[in-house]
Amino acid sequence: MEEKERSAEPDEESLNNKHGTACNRPKTLPMKLKEYTPEDSNKDDGGIFNLEEQFKDATSLDAKDEGIENGVYDSEDAGDYYEESEEEVIMEIVYAFADYTSNEDDGSENQLNFVKGDRLEIIAKDDPDWWWGKKNETYGYIASNHVKSNPPSAEDGVNSWQDEEYFGSYSQMRLHMEMLEDHPRTDTYRKAIVQNKKHIKGKVVLDVGCGSGILSFFCAKYGQAKRVYAVEASDFAHYTKKLVDHNGLSDQIIVIKGKIEEQQIPEQVDLIISEWMGTFLLFEWMIECVLYARDCWLRSSGVMWPSHAHILLVPSSANQQLEKLQFWNSVHGFDFTPLIPVAQQEFFSKPVYNHDVEPGSCLSRPSSILDIDMKTVSIFDLMEVSNPFSFIIQKSGTFHGFSSWFTVDFNGYPSTNGQVPVVLDTGPDFPSTHWKQDFFMMDEAVQLYKGDQIDGTISINRNYEWKRHLSVKLDFTVTSKTIGIKKYKKVFPIWR
């Protein structure tokens, strides 16, 4: 069956031929598409706008026009906008198995650009070659011979896990030094082990993605574990073995080089410990390896560390980020404001990582938008997540977007002398970690006042092609004393 599907796919030459039979482009637009002229925009010709107007009206369109939900400027579609239909029905979800880039010079500006692995939503199939649909919230025609119903897989000739790049980076001394120098991170693990040493003593531990082996060292020395299996897929495992021998711990720690999925641990374990967290908690998806280890080797009475994980979100100001746009106001005495939309697309189409949330910039109390129980969660539970959020503004200020960070708990053992479980909090009110915080910059700033409200949904979707990546969609409504009710929507890839 798989061979039949592949034989029906066009070859590379026909895929790259944008003027061939497959590209008999529709000449008319669906009812959902509405064209506008520069006169409609209240901006200069071409939809380019200056910084002064940038945060009054995020697009070159009149944000009051019916159907414009979010006033979000899309630099790829500066000439078109689409009216949302409440009756819109998604016929099918498809996935790109090859890149497609339209050629606007030959009248194909209404086609969607996409890359292999993109998730596309089909709305209409009136033309067999060109289906009407959307990618994220951008509408257009989709080349039907570039998509299929099933997500691309490694069988399509791509290392979707990017293992060489990923494990290569973890072979570098610089990266391990950065993590070891992160004292809040490393000391929290040590504190959890010391606090629960009577439960770890004489037990078997599995350290997934052990890196330099520091967590295994803690379990052996402070926890007095009977045996620790330290598994590391990168070439750094050779150095880890040397460190174990050098520190006289070879009787307790067994270093295993290779992916956890390819190992045969010879016994069940009492504790699985791992530092698997990435940007926005899930990036790199090392969590999948940890859950695999859990399902294979953790005793029913065993403990997962971290035991729980939480992603937090809060509406915030981010004045320091605006400098990346304000710079273009005047460059060596010249007006470079036409570059502001380009700068905004480059700097803020993805989250700002390693962001330091400034004191007093949070406009409300943070709220957890994802809670993970590591003992029970399935990887399938995390592939596509959609959760609501609601914030009451506690402090008046300019809303630029959302700050985010995560916390992880070290629970699972009975409390000792009434001690509370250890928590690693990467938020702005705690000592800074190498993760810092993330910031999701919206395309329009809004002045909010105490008592205003933000209600919406956050959707987290794993990238089916680049499996270590994901996207975050923020879809929300602001209810304000000054602007009334206004809708916003934006999708952020992390990082593909």
Side-chain angles (χ1 to χ4, degrees):
M1 185 64 183
E2 178 65 20
E3 292 301 319
K4 289 182 180 179
E5 288 182 0
R6 290 192 179 194
S7 64
E9 295 173 2
D11 58 26
E12 183 176 357
E13 181 179 356
S14 62
L15 287 175
N16 292 330
N17 179 9
K18 299 183 178 62
H19 301 280
T21 304
C23 294
N24 295 323
R25 299 174 176 85
K27 302 301 181 183
T28 59
L29 304 176
M31 292 298 292
K32 296 178 70 62
L33 180 63
K34 187 176 178 181
E35 303 235 22
Y36 84 99
T37 64
E39 288 74 25
D40 292 326
S41 68
N42 296 323
K43 305 288 188 298
D44 57 355
D45 198 357
I48 296 176
F49 45 97
N50 59 41
L51 184 62
E52 180 179 356
E53 294 171 322
Q54 173 88 359
F55 293 103
K56 292 180 182 178
D57 181 359
T59 75
S60 57
L61 310 174
D62 182 354
K64 295 181 181 179
D65 273 352
E66 180 182 355
I68 299 299
E69 286 191 349
N70 58 357
V72 172
Y73 176 79
D74 187 337
S75 65
E76 293 185 358
D77 296 287
D80 306 310
Y81 73 94
Y82 302 88
E83 294 183 303
E84 293 276 350
S85 169
E86 294 182 358
E87 300 178 357
E88 176 180 289
V89 176
I90 304 302
M91 293 179 57
E92 183 182 0
I93 304 297
V94 297
Y95 302 87
F97 64 80
D99 298 355
Y100 181 77
T101 303
S102 64
N103 183 353
E104 296 187 2
D105 293 336
D106 64 3
S108 59
E109 67 274 7
N110 301 315
Q111 298 167 14
L112 282 182
N113 297 330
F114 49 81
V115 297
K116 184 175 180 178
D118 277 352
R119 180 179 185 271
L120 306 166
E121 298 179 344
I122 305 303
I123 298 170
K125 294 184 177 180
D126 297 335
D127 186 304
D129 296 324
W130 293 96
W131 297 343
W132 180 251
K134 63 180 181 178
K135 170 189 170 185
N136 299 330
E137 294 308 315
T138 302
Y139 291 80
Y141 286 105
I142 295 169
S144 61
N145 66 341
H146 282 58
V147 301
K148 61 183 181 180
S149 298
N150 298 321
S153 66
E155 295 179 358
D156 295 327
V158 175
N159 179 5
S160 58
W161 279 99
Q162 302 168 273
D163 284 346
E164 183 175 350
E165 175 185 343
Y166 176 70
F167 293 123
S169 68
Y170 279 94
S171 299
Q172 299 173 5
M173 198 72 67
R174 173 190 56 79
L175 191 146
H176 291 281
M177 183 175 178
E178 178 186 28
M179 292 188 290
L180 293 170
E181 284 186 328
D182 184 343
H183 291 288
R185 160 200 179 267
T186 308
D187 289 344
T188 298
Y189 277 86
R190 177 168 55 184
K191 181 180 178 181
I193 292 167
V194 171
Q195 183 170 303
N196 292 277
K197 59 184 178 182
K198 76 173 187 178
H199 303 294
I200 300 173
K201 184 177 181 179
K203 302 296 185 181
V204 180
V205 178
L206 173 58
D207 182 357
V208 180
C210 69
S212 66
I214 191 64
L215 303 186
S216 297
F217 285 22
F218 289 164
C219 288
K221 180 177 180 178
Y222 301 120
Q224 298 180 30
K226 174 184 176 182
R227 191 159 34 254
V228 182
Y229 293 98
V231 181
E232 173 58 35
S234 79
D235 289 339
F236 205 88
H238 300 297
Y239 299 117
T240 307
K241 180 64 169 68
K242 289 183 179 180
L243 294 173
V244 169
D245 295 342
H246 185 73
N247 283 273
L249 294 171
S250 55
D251 290 341
Q252 288 175 277
I253 300 176
I254 301 170
V255 178
I256 302 173
K257 183 186 183 305
K259 300 177 184 178
I260 189 68
E261 298 88 349
E262 299 172 354
Q263 306 310 314
Q264 292 295 327
I265 306 300
E267 59 186 319
Q268 296 288 288
V269 304
D270 303 287
L271 170 66
I272 292 180
I273 191 169
S274 179
E275 194 275 81
W276 52 264
M277 300 81 74
T279 300
F280 196 67
L281 183 66
L282 294 174
F283 174 64
E284 294 180 347
W285 289 91
M286 185 181 167
I287 188 173
E288 182 166 359
C289 303
V290 178
L291 298 182
Y292 177 89
R294 177 200 67 187
D295 295 342
C296 289
W297 298 293
L298 185 68
R299 299 183 192 276
S300 59
S301 59
V303 171
M304 297 288 291
W305 271 2
S307 59
H308 300 81
H310 317 272
I311 299 178
L312 292 100
L313 193 73
V314 63
S316 305
S317 299
N319 293 315
Q320 75 272 36
Q321 296 296 336
L322 296 186
E323 295 175 1
K324 297 174 183 177
L325 301 180
Q326 292 168 342
F327 170 83
W328 306 101
N329 271 342
S330 178
V331 179
H332 298 287
F334 296 94
D335 184 351
F336 274 37
T337 54
L339 295 182
I340 287 175
V342 182
Q344 183 172 14
Q345 174 69 15
E346 180 173 331
F347 295 138
F348 301 132
S349 62
K350 297 177 181 179
V352 179
Y353 70 102
N354 286 344
H355 173 71
D356 287 307
V357 174
E358 294 180 326
S361 65
C362 296
L363 304 179
S364 185
R365 296 187 181 92
S367 176
S368 178
I369 49 87
L370 179 63
D371 300 300
I372 299 174
D373 184 335
M374 292 295 291
K375 195 72 180 289
T376 61
V377 71
S378 160
I379 194 63
F380 300 105
D381 298 332
L382 303 175
M383 299 293 283
E384 295 184 2
V385 178
S386 184
N387 286 324
F389 58 79
S390 181
F391 298 100
I392 302 296
I393 300 302
Q394 306 290 326
K395 173 187 173 183
S396 298
T398 304
F399 166 63
H400 293 121
F402 294 91
S403 298
S404 178
W405 58 88
F406 64 83
T407 68
V408 294
D409 310 333
F410 295 82
N411 212 327
Y413 290 120
S415 175
T416 303
N417 299 324
Q419 291 179 309
V420 298
V422 175
V423 175
L424 171 60
D425 195 322
T426 65
D429 295 328
F430 293 83
S432 182
T433 67
H434 75 281
W435 292 286
K436 297 187 178 180
Q437 293 89 48
D438 304 311
F439 190 76
F440 296 85
M441 176 74 87
M442 302 305 295
D443 293 332
E444 178 183 1
V446 182
Q447 182 64 35
L448 297 181
Y449 297 90
K450 186 175 181 179
D452 289 349
Q453 191 161 339
I454 300 177
D455 300 287
T457 301
I458 184 169
S459 300
I460 303 168
N461 293 287
R462 188 175 187 176
N463 188 313
Y464 283 96
E465 169 60 16
W466 304 103
K467 293 184 178 180
R468 298 195 185 278
H469 299 249
L470 63 147
S471 65
V472 176
K473 176 182 175 182
L474 291 160
D475 187 349
F476 60 95
T477 300
V478 172
T479 304
S480 169
K481 301 178 181 68
T482 55
I483 65 170
I485 300 176
K486 194 170 184 180
K487 294 183 178 181
Y488 298 84
K489 191 181 297 184
K490 189 171 180 179
V491 179
F492 298 84
I494 308 177
W495 303 107
R496 291 182 176 180

